[in-house]
Amino acid sequence: MEEDAEGMDRFDMDGDFEGGRFGRDGEFYYERRRERAPQTRDDALYGVFAEGDSDYDSDDDAGNRRRSRRKRRRDEPEADLSRPVHFQSAGKFMPSKEPDPELEERPGLGAASASASAAGEDDAAAEEDLDLPTAFGQRIAEGARARREERARERETAARRRQASGVAAGKPAPALGSLGSNTKVAKMMAMMGYKDGMGLGKNEQGIVAPVETTLRPKNAGLGSVEGFKEPKPFFTKENLPPPPPPAAAKKEQQRWSKKAGAKKGPVLTKNELLAMRSEQEQDEQPTVVQKVIDMRGPQARVLTDLKGLNVEQEMEANDVPMPELQYNVRLLVDEAKADVVRLDGQLRREQEKVASLVREKEKVAKQEALQKRQLQVMEKIAGVLEQVRVDDTAGVLSLEGLLKTFQELKACYVEEFKMCSVAWIACRFAHPLLIRVFQGWQPLQNPLFGLEIMSSWKDLLQGDQAYDFSGDVESMAPYAQLVSEVILPAVRISGTNSWEARDPEPMLRFLESWERLLPPIVLQSILEHVIMPKLSAAVDSWDPRREKVPIHVWVHPWLPMLGQRIDTLCHSIRYKLSSVLHVWQAHDASAYAVLSPWKDVFDATSWEDLIVRYIVPKLKMALQEFQINPANQKLDQFNWVMIWASAIPVHHMVHMLEVDFFSKWQQVLYHWLCSPNPDFNEIMNWYKGWKGLFPPELLANERIRMLLTAGLDMMNRAAEGLEVVQPGARENVGYLRATEKRQFDAAQQASQYTTHHAVPGAAMADLSFKESIQAYAMDQGLLFMPRVGKFYNGMPVYEFGTVSICIDSVKRLLYAQLQEGIERWSAVSLTQLIEMNRKARQR
């Protein structure tokens, strides 16, 4: 074909790829591209006109032809041009002629190899018989003889090489493709137990001889041909596999019978398929189904999972026989499985539908029976109600008989009694009868009348059902409606006409008696329309100066019932109290009896404002006029103040006592201790007497305890013979010197300024108490600085050397912490501070 293609342009891709093949889908797949010959410099310069190239052939085709010609030259023996041309007939092949056994036994690739060997021997014999008399012919004959000798030497060398490798020189070489031709594979199979000449397999059941092929006559097809001997069958008596046992043979025959599906076998039945699918659904967790589009083939495929995605490629790689048939069979099996699953799903849905219809039928049957029973009950109830109506029309209906009739209906037909609202029908018949019973009733004078009758009707109409607290009149229950129409009018008339707010007992007695029988909506109506108007009118007419009965006596009993409604009354009460407290005096204890019950009723802000505005100023004046005399002590004014200890907020009470009482009390104690020969037993009893006068709520206060402890410290120092510090006095000499020095320095600085820039005498102003203590610390070389975040009784704490101190600038007192880590403070002098720092340095 190459000669025919000379002078023609080639547009195919036959030479572009190596190892290519067409798949079942019609696509061409290749293993690698064919390597092109490298382009030389002449190829780049001359292109298609390069030497040795064809005008139309490509570089690859030319290179391939050159390589193939060079290979043939290497493989073929050198031609002997001295030999004459000989022709050898190929003969005629007859179908009836037996093949030459010598050719079959010769090693090689087949008959072609045998004919080539025979032709070589004939040529050698012809060369020996050739006789060329001329000198040129003699030289040609000598050259041919030399070549024959060289080939003979090569054959001898090859025979010795085969003999050295274990193959006899006279034994023919193994055929190409046989096990003996590949020593590596033969050794590996021998290590695995294979014996030469035996069959493959555990039981040596494989065939020994390979499958032989025989060329059939042309146009013979698969039919029998006269004179042609068919090849031997594949299985003979020697290599037939052992026959299966009778049971297995019978089982194989039954597999294709009609009853084969009922027995377990290699065929997967419908029940087994559905059982496997149900097990897989139970084991697998529910996942989201995602679609996968496979576009590797000529047509796109939509997949829901990746199972069997590469089955075709695996079959091709494993060289599975008849892959197309297996693929089609697998498709049919998958379709059959899908049909089985689909039909099974439809069957299950139909079964579930049937079961649902059966349940619906049973439900409808039960409803039908229930409605029939309810219809019968309705007919009975209607008959009873008709009889009640006839009795009512005739005027023979009594309250006891009516109650008994409806109680029997409720006991026999509980559900129907609620469903048909028979209670409302009972209220319609009972209302006129109850009106006659309670006609002329006075609830405040006779609160126990009718309790048994209304209790029976409450059990009938209300039962165990909870009251409705919504307050909606339209949604009122039957019993609440009956009470509001029968009981409430009588209570409203009696409370409006005969009840007085300053006498709460009659109304309270009625409400306590009827508490269980009054619905919430009726009780709220009584409080809103009867009690609150009466109380408001009484509070407006109350005069604290003339009334002998305190207002809390007849207002406080209503606090649990009134709730938030009491706020409107409290506003009026505070206004009434304020109008009389501005003329009140501290000696009048009646104000405490009037005010103290309202401490927990008024809100905290209103109560504190009332006390601070009208009570505290009068008590301060009483304490300021109070005299402390150990020889002849009068406690009237002090007792006036102590009465209010539980009513006045504690911080106001403590401040009032500290400023107006303890300052005088400590001064009296100081002078008594400084007197000649003081009686410490008498002083101690005096101290205990004053401490016992304070109520517990004041003794629990830290500030009050500290003020009492200061007096006790003064007594201890006097008993020990130490100097007693006068409360509030500037007794320390160092303090005075520091003050004088600071005043002198300020005066010196002021004298340096001009007279019109400085105010005369301004530099001589006194320093503050804190600045004086700071100056004294600087003179003594001690550190004075505040301790951040630490306070004592609301006053900041400072560090005076190693001692924590607290400065009271109002009373000009100095307090020191006696021991670090313990909250125990005492009033000290500057001299004592210096001594405490000295002891701390010694430790």
Side-chain angles (χ1 to χ4, degrees), residues 17-90:
F17 306 100
E18 292 183 357
R21 59 186 175 83
F22 286 91
R24 292 193 304 273
D25 51 1
E27 295 289 338
F28 179 77
Y29 300 95
Y30 63 90
E31 297 180 358
R32 61 182 180 277
R33 291 181 178 273
R34 186 183 300 276
E35 296 180 358
R36 295 180 178 272
Q39 187 179 24
T40 63
R41 184 176 182 182
D42 292 342
D43 295 337
L45 291 175
Y46 300 106
V48 298
F49 301 100
E51 184 178 358
D53 289 342
S54 173
D55 293 340
Y56 298 96
D57 290 344
S58 62
D59 296 341
D60 294 341
D61 293 339
N64 293 336
R65 285 195 294 273
R66 288 195 295 269
R67 285 193 294 270
S68 62
R69 285 196 295 270
R70 286 195 296 270
K71 184 176 181 182
R72 285 197 298 273
R73 293 193 191 99
R74 289 195 303 267
D75 296 341
E76 295 178 358
E78 185 179 357
D80 190 2
L81 302 178
S82 62
R83 292 176 52 191
V85 178
H86 296 278
F87 293 91
Q88 183 176 359
S89 176

Side-chain angles (χ1 to χ4, degrees), residues 482-555:
L482 187 64
V483 173
S484 63
E485 294 179 358
V486 176
I487 305 299
L488 182 59
V491 175
R492 185 177 296 180
I493 293 173
S494 180
T496 304
N497 296 333
S498 61
W499 178 62
E500 291 293 337
R502 287 177 172 81
D503 184 17
E505 289 301 324
M507 185 62 71
L508 290 173
R509 193 183 312 114
F510 166 78
L511 293 178
E512 291 175 357
S513 302
W514 286 79
E515 180 181 5
R516 192 181 66 86
L517 299 178
L518 291 179
I521 187 172
V522 176
L523 179 60
Q524 297 301 324
S525 178
I526 294 174
L527 294 175
E528 190 73 26
H529 298 96
V530 178
I531 297 175
M532 280 300 298
K534 285 281 187 176
L535 287 177
S536 298
V539 169
D540 292 339
S541 62
W542 174 64
D543 188 357
R545 289 169 292 188
R546 294 185 178 91
E547 295 283 347
K548 296 181 179 180
V549 179
I551 189 173
H552 67 272
V553 174
W554 46 272
V555 173

Side-chain angles (χ1 to χ4, degrees), residues 113-399:
S113 178
S115 60
S117 302
E121 294 178 359
D122 294 341
D123 293 342
E127 287 179 358
E128 291 178 357
D129 296 340
L130 183 61
D131 187 12
L132 298 176
T134 61
F136 178 73
Q138 290 296 332
R139 286 198 298 274
I140 291 176
E142 291 177 0
R145 199 163 31 253
R147 285 191 293 274
R148 286 198 298 276
E149 293 176 357
E150 184 178 358
R151 283 197 292 273
R153 288 194 297 272
E154 290 177 357
R155 285 196 293 272
E156 291 177 359
T157 303
R160 287 195 299 269
R161 191 178 297 111
R162 285 195 299 273
Q163 185 176 4
S165 62
V167 182
K171 189 175 181 180
L176 184 63
S178 63
L179 185 61
S181 62
N182 194 332
T183 58
K184 185 176 181 180
V185 176
K187 291 180 180 180
M188 181 181 65
M189 294 186 66
M191 292 173 63
M192 297 172 65
Y194 173 72
K195 297 179 181 179
D196 192 12
M198 304 300 290
L200 294 174
K202 181 178 180 181
N203 300 324
E204 300 179 357
Q205 66 272 20
I207 62 173
V208 179
V211 179
E212 297 180 356
T213 58
T214 303
L215 184 64
R216 296 176 60 82
K218 187 177 182 181
N219 298 330
L222 297 178
S224 60
V225 180
E226 183 180 357
F228 176 70
K229 185 178 181 181
E230 296 291 343
K232 297 179 180 179
F234 181 75
F235 289 106
T236 61
K237 293 181 179 180
E238 292 77 8
N239 57 9
L240 274 175
K250 184 177 181 180
K251 190 173 182 179
E252 292 291 336
Q253 294 176 2
Q254 291 179 352
R255 182 183 300 178
W256 300 99
S257 64
K258 294 182 179 180
K259 299 181 180 179
K263 299 181 179 180
K264 294 291 182 179
V267 179
L268 188 64
T269 63
K270 174 181 70 66
N271 296 333
E272 295 174 350
L273 174 62
L274 297 177
M276 292 173 56
R277 183 174 179 84
S278 62
E279 292 178 359
Q280 292 178 358
E281 291 178 354
Q282 293 177 1
D283 296 340
E284 294 180 356
Q285 297 180 354
T287 56
V288 180
V289 179
Q290 296 182 354
K291 292 184 178 181
V292 179
I293 301 177
D294 184 10
M295 304 185 66
R296 299 179 298 173
Q299 295 180 353
R301 295 188 301 169
V302 180
L303 306 175
T304 57
D305 55 14
L306 301 180
K307 296 180 180 179
L309 183 63
N310 299 322
V311 173
E312 300 179 10
Q313 289 75 7
E314 293 176 357
M315 292 174 64
E316 293 179 0
N318 298 332
D319 196 13
V320 177
M322 294 182 290
E324 294 83 359
L325 179 59
Q326 293 194 19
Y327 177 77
N328 294 334
V329 171
R330 188 170 61 255
L331 287 180
L332 294 176
V333 172
D334 293 342
E335 291 179 359
K337 290 182 179 180
D339 292 340
V340 170
V341 174
R342 178 176 54 81
L343 294 176
D344 179 69
Q346 292 180 358
L347 179 61
R348 290 183 179 180
R349 287 191 293 273
E350 295 296 333
Q351 291 176 351
E352 292 177 358
K353 186 176 181 181
V354 170
S356 177
L357 293 175
V358 171
R359 292 191 297 269
E360 188 69 21
K361 180 181 178 182
E362 295 175 355
K363 182 179 179 181
V364 171
K366 291 180 180 179
Q367 290 179 356
E368 181 184 3
L370 179 61
Q371 291 178 359
K372 286 183 179 180
R373 178 186 171 280
Q374 290 178 352
L375 182 60
Q376 296 174 359
V377 172
M378 295 296 178
E379 292 175 353
K380 294 180 181 179
I381 294 176
V384 173
L385 295 178
E386 180 64 22
Q387 184 63 38
V388 172
R389 188 187 65 79
V390 172
D391 294 343
D392 184 40
T393 305
V396 297
L397 184 64
S398 64
L399 187 62

Side-chain angles (χ1 to χ4, degrees), residues 555-793:
V555 173
H556 281 198
W558 299 106
L559 293 179
M561 294 184 182
L562 294 179
Q564 299 296 330
R565 296 185 182 91
I566 198 65
D567 293 340
T568 58
L569 300 178
C570 289
H571 179 73
S572 300
I573 293 171
R574 284 196 301 269
Y575 176 76
K576 292 279 186 177
L577 293 174
S578 302
S579 63
V580 296
L581 285 176
H582 70 282
V583 295
W584 170 79
Q585 297 299 326
H587 62 84
D588 187 3
S590 61
Y592 177 78
V594 175
L595 281 180
S596 58
W598 296 97
K599 178 182 178 182
D600 297 330
V601 179
F602 294 163
D603 60 278
T605 304
S606 301
W607 175 256
E608 184 176 358
D609 180 68
L610 183 67
I611 292 296
V612 171
R613 180 177 296 183
Y614 299 106
I615 304 300
V616 172
K618 303 295 179 63
L619 296 180
K620 287 177 67 68
M621 293 175 60
L623 283 179
Q624 291 173 1
E625 296 174 359
F626 177 60
Q627 298 294 329
I628 301 176
N629 186 5
N632 185 18
Q633 185 66 58
K634 296 181 180 180
L635 299 175
D636 296 338
Q637 294 164 323
F638 185 80
N639 291 332
W640 298 344
V641 176
M642 289 298 105
I643 291 175
W644 294 88
S646 59
I648 299 176
V650 63
H651 58 282
H652 290 288
M653 194 71 179
V654 170
H655 182 267
M656 182 173 58
L657 291 174
E658 182 179 0
V659 174
D660 299 318
F661 171 75
F662 278 102
S663 59
K664 295 186 290 184
W665 182 80
Q666 290 178 352
Q667 289 290 343
V668 170
L669 179 61
Y670 170 75
H671 290 294
W672 195 356
L673 293 174
C674 293
S675 64
N677 300 322
D679 188 355
F680 290 103
N681 292 329
E682 185 180 1
I683 294 174
M684 180 59 66
N685 294 331
W686 179 79
Y687 171 82
K688 291 180 180 179
W690 278 109
K691 186 176 180 180
L693 294 176
F694 288 92
E697 54 266 22
L698 290 179
L699 290 177
N701 185 266
E702 181 68 24
R703 187 67 177 171
I704 297 296
R705 291 203 306 269
M706 187 193 70
L707 294 173
L708 292 174
T709 304
L712 187 61
D713 292 339
M714 294 169 61
M715 295 165 56
N716 293 333
R717 292 182 62 83
E720 295 174 359
L722 300 177
E723 180 183 2
V724 180
V725 181
Q726 182 180 3
R730 303 180 180 180
E731 76 286 357
N732 191 274
V733 178
Y735 161 75
L736 295 175
R737 290 179 179 177
T739 303
E740 294 175 356
K741 183 177 183 299
R742 185 66 64 88
Q743 292 176 353
F744 178 76
D745 294 340
Q748 292 294 330
Q749 294 177 2
S751 63
Q752 298 177 3
Y753 294 103
T754 58
T755 58
H756 51 77
H757 283 291
V759 179
M764 299 301 293
D766 293 338
L767 298 177
S768 66
F769 187 49
K770 174 186 172 184
E771 292 175 347
S772 301
I773 296 174
Q774 185 177 4
Y776 180 73
M778 294 174 60
D779 293 340
Q780 298 295 327
L782 298 175
L783 179 64
F784 182 86
M785 60 180 296
R787 298 188 65 175
V788 180
K790 189 172 182 181
F791 297 87
Y792 174 70
N793 285 342

